[in-house]
Amino acid sequence: MIKIQILIDSAVKTRQFTAYLISAILVFTTAIGHAESSTLLDNTSFSRSRIKIFRVRPGESTSDILSRLGSNEALKVVSANKDKTHMMVITTDKPKEFIGFSSSPLGLSSPSHFGRRFNRYTHKFNMMNLVSVQGTITSSMEEAAKQAKLPEPLIDQLAQIFAWDIDFATNLHPGDRFTVVYEKGGFNGTDDIVATEFVNRGKAYRAVRYIDKEGYANYYTPEGNALQKAFLTTPVDFARISSHFSSSRRHPVLNRIRAHKGVDYAARTGTPVKATGNGEVTFLGRKGGYGQAIILRHGDRYETVYAHLSGYKTGLREGSTVRQGEVIGYVGQTGLATGPHLHYEFRIDGIHQNPLTAQVSNSIPVKSVAMVDFKSQIQDPLAKLNLTKANSLFAKIYSPYN
Ligand SMILES: [Zn+2]
């Protein structure tokens, strides 16, 4: 016999995350012994919690269970308590089979904790409060967003999601249209885009959000390719290239001909320097002519070097993990430099390459091990996106995704 338990807690929002973990431990304990669980319950701050127990017939699938829970009782509970925290957990008599799902996207990352702690997490549902809107640009994006009732912060989010493919500042056209599925009060408590399609000059781009096991949210194509490229082209914003990659140039300080194995960006001292890709700090400190430098390793093959820095990001040290676009240091002129600039190197398999022309795999796909998780996570948002499109006039307009 399998038992399903629904645990609804009304813990305060700021303590949401802890609450989830405690709930999970609580329910897991319940699976082992009910006597223990009731004691545990009394001794925790879950005095306002309610637990419902359902009997499940052998052989029932998760969706069978859900439908039999009574006209989506689970969904009803969720919508009735959307401002509070909820959790629904299914346990089975076999402790190895632990099934949990949650009404909050926080639950999306917490199962990985279940996984690490208990190694029993097998499947989850994500019941998100999804809202969909559609718009067509006639004059400006802002105008179209207003008409579509797309919340203002989501315009920026949309622009960021498609930053690699669509220039929202200069390349939007009348007739461009968008469908946005967003989560109300989602990840981090804000509205967040979970699935979207943007048709720019007749070309359709799609994005879905995926929160990985580490809890990082990124946008991918529905096929699982990151929209973000593996490396940013430049590590400093609004900087001018003062010296290109070259096999022979006269060194400004040494006054000798030698290869320039990087690209120089002239910028004011103190200008933030960003990691061009996700990676790990393998060197941070003084290094001869480089002055104060940082070396990052990105996976097995790539390395980037940032030299002549005036300083490092506080707390950054060898072994630290950095994310693409994260500020790691500041432009300076330490080491052999005639003026403040960033010397940036890009190495593939230990060999210096011109960062501006190097052939790098375009995007980082979802790791194949995470593909099942990815598919299940994007399922609802994607279905909602398709439904929204199907119910609209846009369905009649050509899109490769129709
Ligand atoms: Zn240089």
Side-chain angles (χ1 to χ4, degrees):
M1 186 67 77
I2 304 166
K3 297 173 203 77
I4 294 187
Q5 301 167 328
I6 300 183
L7 186 133
I8 307 149
D9 75 64
S10 44
V12 279
K13 221 168 186 175
T14 46
R15 298 174 62 194
Q16 222 170 21
F17 194 67
T18 330
Y20 277 117
L21 288 179
I22 297 171
S23 311
I25 296 164
L26 202 73
V27 172
F28 178 64
T29 315
T30 318
I32 303 170
H34 288 274
E36 273 173 63
S37 79
S38 53
T39 322
L40 239 173
L41 199 66
D42 293 337
N43 290 342
T44 62
S45 57
F46 285 86
S47 49
R48 284 177 297 168
S49 301
R50 286 180 292 137
I51 291 182
K52 290 184 186 177
I53 298 178
F54 291 81
R55 298 257 167 220
V56 179
R57 294 166 196 135
E60 272 188 323
S61 72
T62 319
S63 54
D64 291 338
I65 296 165
L66 274 182
S67 64
R68 207 168 61 74
L69 271 175
S71 61
N72 296 320
E73 171 154 6
L75 284 168
K76 248 176 7 199
V77 168
V78 167
S79 54
N81 296 275
K82 63 185 171 195
D83 292 331
K84 297 172 184 167
T85 57
H86 320 282
M87 187 161 187
M88 189 148 112
V89 174
I90 302 175
T91 58
T92 73
D93 281 343
K94 290 178 232 150
K96 288 280 175 202
E97 291 168 31
F98 179 92
I99 312 169
F101 48 106
S102 147
S103 66
S104 157
L106 271 176
L108 289 177
S109 45
S110 47
S112 67
H113 290 269
F114 299 170
R116 258 182 237 138
R117 291 177 90 114
F118 305 119
N119 197 26
R120 276 171 192 98
Y121 178 76
T122 56
H123 186 66
K124 63 178 172 286
F125 284 86
N126 176 32
M127 291 190 234
M128 300 187 283
N129 187 6
L130 298 181
V131 179
S132 65
V133 296
Q134 289 188 300
T136 302
I137 294 171
T138 48
S139 56
S140 70
M141 181 62 204
E142 284 69 25
E143 195 56 42
K146 199 182 262 176
Q147 279 191 6
K149 294 193 170 66
L150 179 72
E152 220 178 289
L154 296 191
I155 304 175
D156 282 343
Q157 225 178 79
L158 197 61
Q160 277 168 30
I161 291 168
F162 292 118
W164 297 94
D165 298 302
I166 305 167
D167 186 345
F168 273 65
T170 63
N171 203 20
L172 294 188
H173 296 264
D176 282 1
R177 55 193 191 274
F178 54 85
T179 308
V180 173
V181 177
Y182 69 94
E183 183 181 22
K184 250 187 131 43
F187 199 54
N188 302 326
T190 54
D191 291 349
D192 279 305
I193 295 176
V194 289
T196 178
E197 180 180 295
F198 199 100
V199 182
N200 179 233
R201 311 191 81 169
K203 190 171 191 296
Y205 299 88
R206 273 192 170 197
V208 288
R209 184 191 70 184
Y210 173 58
I211 301 170
D212 65 22
K213 295 279 179 215
E214 279 76 44
Y216 288 110
N218 275 307
Y219 290 89
Y220 296 84
T221 66
E223 296 76 33
N225 291 311
L227 289 172
Q228 203 181 359
K229 302 288 181 279
F231 291 97
L232 299 171
T233 339
T234 58
V236 258
D237 287 334
F238 313 115
R240 170 179 65 84
I241 292 180
S242 52
S243 183
H244 277 275
F245 187 88
S246 145
S247 52
S248 59
R249 71 149 191 186
R250 184 166 294 276
H251 192 279
V253 176
L254 301 174
N255 199 26
R256 267 186 272 135
I257 301 287
R258 64 177 214 181
H260 186 232
K261 294 180 167 182
V263 171
D264 290 348
Y265 292 93
R268 259 187 296 214
T269 297
T271 304
V273 172
K274 300 187 219 165
T276 51
N278 297 339
E280 191 194 323
V281 178
T282 52
F283 178 87
L284 186 148
R286 290 207 163 255
K287 204 176 180 69
Y290 282 124
Q292 300 195 106
I294 294 173
I295 300 179
L296 301 182
R297 169 165 280 279
H298 316 273
D300 295 337
R301 303 189 54 206
Y302 303 102
E303 264 181 325
T304 52
V305 181
Y306 311 79
H308 309 313
L309 302 173
S310 59
Y312 314 106
K313 180 196 160 188
T314 316
L316 196 71
R317 53 180 61 89
E318 284 170 15
S320 299
T321 313
V322 295
R323 303 291 292 179
Q324 184 178 67
E326 185 179 326
V327 173
I328 51 172
Y330 303 91
V331 170
Q333 63 177 105
T334 54
L336 283 180
T338 51
H341 74 278
L342 175 78
H343 171 87
Y344 174 59
E345 286 179 19
F346 191 82
R347 300 172 185 163
I348 305 178
D349 298 328
I351 297 160
H352 290 87
Q353 306 261 356
N354 183 348
L356 301 175
T357 57
Q359 294 297 310
V360 184
S361 60
N362 264 347
S363 69
I364 321 141
V366 172
K367 287 194 189 93
S368 50
V369 287
M371 216 47 204
V372 173
D373 189 40
F374 174 79
K375 294 267 189 219
S376 86
Q377 217 180 93
I378 70 168
Q379 195 176 4
D380 285 355
L382 208 54
K384 180 99 177 172
L385 183 75
N386 288 328
L387 194 68
T388 309
K389 288 199 67 198
N391 288 338
S392 79
L393 290 171
F394 293 164
K396 297 185 179 67
I397 305 171
Y398 169 78
S399 154
Y401 288 106
N402 281 337

